[in-house]
Amino acid sequence: LRALSSDSPLPPPPFPRPGAVKPRVSCSRELELKTTLRELVIYIVFLTDLCLLTFGMVSTDMYYLNKAMSQLFLEPSSSEDNRSGFRSIGSRADFWRFAEGPLLDGLYWDKWYNNMTLTLQNNNSHIYYENLLLGGAQIRQLKVRNNTCSIYPYFHTFLEDCYSEYRYRAEDRSDFGLRNESEWKYTSASSLSPWYWGSMGLYSSGGYMFTLPKSKQESVEKLVFLRQNSWLTRGTRVVFIDFSTYNANINLFCIIKLVVEFPATGGALTSSHIYSVKLLRYVTYYDYFLASCEIAFCLFIITFIIQEAIKIVKLKKEYFRSAWNWLDLLLLLVSILAIAFNIYRTVEVSLLMEELLSDAHVYPDFYFLAFWQVLYNNMIAVNIFFAWIKIFKYVSFNKTMTQLSSTLSRCAKDITGFAIMFFIIFFAYAQLGYLVFGSQVEEFSTFQNCIFTQFRIVLGDFNFETIEAANRILGPIYFITFVFFVFFILLNMFLAIINDTYSEVKADFEVIPSQELQIGDLFRQSCKKALVKLKLKKPEVDTNPADESLESKEFSATKRKDISKLSNGDSADEKRKVANASLRAAPSQGYVAVFVCSRLFRYTAELAKELNNTNAKLRRIMKSMQQLKDTSGKTAQ
């Protein structure tokens, strides 16, 4: 109170000085912002190049080509063919019915829609009359040996054969059947061929395989012969159907893999993979433009590597204490891997393309090339994801982004404690659902499915009737209690933690607003200077520093006198009048915006609140001192 009533200078209020247009910043701060703005512009150019590169690899034609192949081979053409469709395969007999019917009808297009016979060049089939079938289709199976599982002694008299689920060590590689052709002999796979991860196991790339002839009639005879001679046995665990097409209209390869698994439980499980990839990259002018984008991308990565190396040498251990630096390293690592995959795929395509297409009667294994192309696409997708996340590094100089980052950092401990409690309850319910419904409901058949199913319950995407039918007592109890504890209590606690923290951070920023130059202000200043240099805008006339200093002194003196009046116990209305008078006392050359007035009012209100709190504390102290005095007087008596 004594300091407020004296003539000593007051600390600057939390609002811009009237008449001032440009915020005052230190040279180091302005240099830092200019460096950040320069890095942001360079990074935007890099991100634009990466986006062009990424979206140049995919197109809507890929989706429509995949959809066309899926409708042809996976979905039945009419209700009468439901039993012969690929998705309806449930046994070995259904497999042969599909292979001899819809599969061959989709592979061989030798007639026009009016049943007019087509003249095929080199006996090549064109699926949908547009997609050239490359070579022939290959059918491959994997088997397990007999007596690869244990039979309980009581059942030895009833069971003689036992075929376990598929394992690489239990795989059967011996010749069987007629033993005169490749389909009866095991063929080892190439060391570079990728294995297949199916629903029931991880399958190797070898097996008993054969290629369908170029003629449809010969293919029918081949399949009938294999069916009659029991090519599929009890030990068969999976059958692969592979073929590839090329569409010259859109320069796309389509690699199709149809998989039928025969688990040890009996029955059959179907799955499919259809990849539309662009293996021949540089054909049109736009492709060469993308090649230039790839070169620019490599140059950007080399530049960023040099920059990060210089930072590591300069900062040493301090460099690794920043999360943004770790994100930069991760982005560089993913980019280097993507470049390596791209180079390897391009070299392999150029080396293997001519070899794969040399014999029209042999299956060309483009699945290997498609695998690397899809892997490269995935690496680029992850790369561009982290590239977009890195933008937060530059926009963190913005006030709004600072509030959001401060909110997350301030509530990190509370969220960590909440997460522990949340996942304890969440995994407890997942274990309960797996044990109670796992044998009857597909969504709970595995523990991983239980976790995903519970997230779907939280989002409202769940069929309650399935668990109710599985267990009429525990089903409703599980569902109701899970929704109550997780959705209504835990999720609302999570939102309350974030909302409460954000309110505190926002209040702090309002009470003590930042006077530092924002990167947006620097960007606007740079744009104004550019417009002035281009003579598109007149230069602004700066005020005289001496006049500014005089105005500042007059305003400070006026405000100090007004605040000294506030210390004499004036009412709130009188304090607002004084605040308005201080605004009117500002020099006529400048002006005070509306938001400056609001900040001034908040400042005076906070000051009045602090004064009231101080007066209340003084009263309590005086009262305590009086009580101590009375107590000491009674003791003396």
Side-chain angles (χ1 to χ4, degrees):
L1 296 175
R2 193 180 302 112
L4 289 173
S5 60
S6 65
D7 293 334
S8 59
L10 287 169
F15 50 82
R17 179 174 51 80
V21 177
K22 300 177 182 180
R24 297 183 180 274
V25 293
S26 62
C27 295
S28 59
R29 172 68 176 178
E30 187 173 358
L31 181 61
E32 180 185 0
L33 284 175
K34 287 183 177 179
T35 304
T36 303
L37 184 60
R38 190 182 305 111
E39 292 180 356
L40 177 59
V41 173
I42 296 174
Y43 189 75
I44 289 176
V45 176
F46 163 75
L47 190 59
T48 304
D49 177 76
L50 183 58
C51 289
L52 289 173
L53 182 62
T54 303
F55 291 106
M57 298 186 309
V58 295
S59 66
T60 54
D61 293 331
M62 294 181 177
Y63 167 75
Y64 289 117
L65 181 57
N66 290 345
K67 183 179 179 181
M69 294 299 175
S70 176
Q71 291 177 344
L72 179 61
F73 292 101
L74 304 183
E75 301 175 6
S77 57
S78 62
S79 58
E80 298 178 357
D81 299 333
N82 283 336
R83 293 189 58 189
S84 60
F86 178 76
R87 299 186 189 277
S88 62
I89 295 177
S91 63
R92 290 169 174 80
D94 293 338
F95 170 79
W96 289 115
R97 191 180 299 112
F98 164 77
E100 297 173 13
L103 176 62
L104 297 183
D105 293 338
L107 288 176
Y108 300 99
W109 290 61
D110 51 359
K111 291 185 179 181
W112 192 242
Y113 61 87
N114 56 3
N115 291 328
M116 183 177 64
T117 303
L118 296 176
T119 303
L120 301 178
Q121 184 178 2
N122 297 328
N123 202 24
N124 292 324
S125 175
H126 290 74
I127 299 176
Y128 281 121
Y129 312 112
E130 302 292 346
N131 302 278
L132 174 64
L133 179 63
L134 301 176
Q138 177 183 269
I139 300 180
R140 173 172 63 97
Q141 73 159 318
L142 289 173
K143 301 167 50 181
V144 294
R145 298 187 304 271
N146 190 9
N147 298 325
T148 51
C149 52
S150 301
I151 301 177
Y152 200 73
Y154 294 163
F155 292 93
H156 281 167
T157 56
F158 302 100
L159 300 173
E160 296 181 357
D161 301 327
C162 181
Y163 297 90
S164 67
E165 59 185 11
Y166 179 82
R167 298 188 307 273
Y168 182 71
R169 293 184 177 180
E171 187 176 311
D172 188 3
R173 299 180 180 87
S174 60
D175 299 345
F176 76 104
L178 301 180
R179 305 173 184 264
N180 56 350
E181 298 291 342
S182 61
E183 56 264 27
W184 308 103
K185 299 179 180 180
Y186 185 85
T187 303
S188 300
S190 172
S191 58
L192 297 179
S193 298
W195 288 25
Y196 180 81
W197 188 6
S199 302
M200 303 300 296
L202 183 64
Y203 303 101
S204 68
S205 50
Y208 303 88
M209 61 189 70
F210 65 94
T211 303
L212 292 177
K214 300 289 289 184
S215 170
K216 182 177 180 179
Q217 184 60 35
E218 295 177 1
S219 298
V220 171
E221 295 175 358
K222 180 82 171 179
L223 292 176
V224 171
F225 174 78
L226 293 176
R227 174 171 55 84
Q228 293 176 349
N229 288 274
S230 302
W231 187 68
L232 296 182
T233 64
R234 283 188 57 191
T236 301
R237 287 292 172 257
V238 64
V239 177
F240 299 95
I241 303 174
D242 299 284
F243 55 95
S244 305
T245 66
Y246 175 69
N247 191 313
N249 302 331
I250 52 179
N251 189 27
L252 287 180
F253 287 83
C254 187
I255 291 86
I256 303 172
K257 180 182 286 292
L258 307 179
V259 184
V260 182
E261 297 179 72
F262 299 100
T265 58
L269 301 175
T270 60
S271 59
S272 61
H273 291 275
I274 302 176
Y275 300 118
S276 292
V277 293
K278 191 175 183 179
L279 298 179
L280 303 176
R281 297 294 303 277
Y282 310 115
V283 178
T284 63
Y285 291 110
Y286 183 70
D287 295 336
Y288 288 107
F289 169 73
L290 293 179
S292 63
C293 292
E294 292 176 354
I295 296 174
F297 175 75
C298 295
L299 295 177
F300 273 116
I301 295 302
I302 293 173
T303 305
F304 291 154
I305 290 174
I306 296 174
Q307 290 180 354
E308 297 304 318
I310 294 174
K311 289 182 181 179
I312 293 175
V313 173
K314 185 182 297 184
L315 300 177
K316 296 181 181 180
K317 293 183 179 179
E318 293 294 330
Y319 175 87
F320 299 98
R321 295 183 180 180
S322 173
W324 292 116
N325 293 335
W326 282 103
L327 180 61
D328 292 338
L329 293 178
L330 181 61
L331 181 61
L332 290 177
L333 178 61
V334 176
S335 300
I336 293 172
L337 291 176
I339 293 173
F341 284 145
N342 188 27
I343 295 174
Y344 178 79
R345 176 196 51 78
T346 304
V347 172
E348 286 295 323
V349 168
S350 60
L351 293 177
L352 297 179
M353 185 64 68
E354 185 177 356
E355 178 183 348
L356 291 175
L357 298 178
S358 59
D359 191 352
H361 299 278
V362 178
Y363 163 71
D365 190 5
F366 282 96
Y367 183 79
F368 168 72
L369 299 177
F371 172 80
W372 285 102
Q373 178 64 40
V374 172
L375 189 60
Y376 170 71
N377 293 349
N378 294 340
M379 296 299 295
I380 288 292
V382 174
N383 194 13
I384 198 171
F385 171 79
F386 287 119
W388 278 103
I389 294 298
K390 188 182 175 181
I391 292 182
F392 287 104
K393 176 182 179 180
Y394 301 104
V395 300
S396 60
F397 287 94
N398 181 268
K399 179 181 176 181
T400 304
M401 299 307 302
T402 306
Q403 289 182 2
L404 296 177
S405 60
S406 300
T407 301
L408 296 178
S409 60
R410 187 177 295 188
C411 67
K413 293 183 178 179
D414 295 334
I415 290 180
T416 303
F418 166 80
I420 295 174
M421 177 178 62
F422 175 83
F423 284 109
I424 288 175
I425 298 177
F426 192 83
F427 284 122
Y429 272 99
Q431 192 71 48
L432 174 64
Y434 175 63
L435 296 176
V436 175
F437 314 113
S439 60
Q440 302 181 46
V441 182
E442 182 180 0
E443 287 81 1
F444 294 89
S445 58
T446 63
F447 188 72
Q448 294 84 352
N449 288 348
C450 291
I451 295 175
F452 292 120
T453 300
Q454 290 187 160
F455 280 115
R456 290 174 56 191
I457 293 176
V458 173
L459 297 175
D461 180 21
F462 182 70
N463 186 8
F464 171 71
E465 296 177 354
T466 56
I467 62 173
E468 185 183 23
N471 195 313
R472 293 183 176 274
I473 298 176
L474 292 179
I477 294 176
Y478 163 83
F479 182 79
I480 293 173
T481 56
F482 177 80
V483 171
F484 177 76
F485 285 110
V486 175
F487 185 76
F488 289 105
I489 296 181
L490 293 181
L491 288 185
N492 284 286
M493 286 179 59
F494 175 73
L495 296 177
I497 291 172
I498 295 180
N499 288 335
D500 186 57
T501 308
Y502 181 73
S503 300
E504 294 178 0
V505 172
K506 192 173 182 180
D508 293 344
F509 273 79
E510 288 180 352
V511 174
I512 310 175
S514 174
Q515 288 297 303
E516 294 184 346
L517 181 67
Q518 302 292 330
I519 195 170
D521 302 329
L522 184 61
F523 183 75
R524 284 190 293 270
Q525 292 179 11
S526 302
C527 293
K528 289 179 181 178
K529 290 180 181 179
L531 292 176
V532 170
K533 290 182 178 180
L534 295 173
K535 296 182 180 181
L536 298 176
K537 185 178 182 181
K538 294 181 179 180
E540 296 180 357
V541 180
D542 295 335
T543 58
N544 190 358
D547 296 339
E548 288 185 358
S549 177
L550 180 61
E551 293 170 2
S552 178
K553 290 180 180 178
E554 292 176 356
F555 182 74
S556 298
T558 304
K559 185 173 70 64
R560 186 164 56 249
K561 291 179 182 179
D562 294 338
I563 294 179
S564 64
K565 295 178 183 179
L566 295 177
S567 62
N568 296 327
D570 294 339
S571 62
D573 295 335
E574 293 174 350
K575 293 171 185 175
R576 292 191 181 92
K577 292 178 181 179
V578 173
N580 292 330
S582 64
L583 281 177
R584 288 192 295 271
S588 59
Q589 292 88 342
Y591 64 94
V592 181
V594 176
F595 75 93
V596 178
C597 296
S598 63
R599 288 185 178 180
L600 178 60
F601 291 147
R602 285 199 298 269
Y603 179 70
T604 55
E606 291 292 332
L607 184 60
K609 187 185 297 184
E610 291 294 333
L611 290 173
N612 292 333
N613 293 336
T614 305
N615 290 333
K617 292 179 181 178
L618 288 174
R619 293 193 201 98
R620 288 196 296 269
I621 293 173
M622 295 297 294
K623 186 175 180 181
S624 300
M625 292 178 64
Q626 186 65 31
Q627 292 177 355
L628 290 174
K629 185 176 180 181
D630 296 342
T631 304
S632 61
K634 292 180 181 180
T635 304
Q637 292 178 359

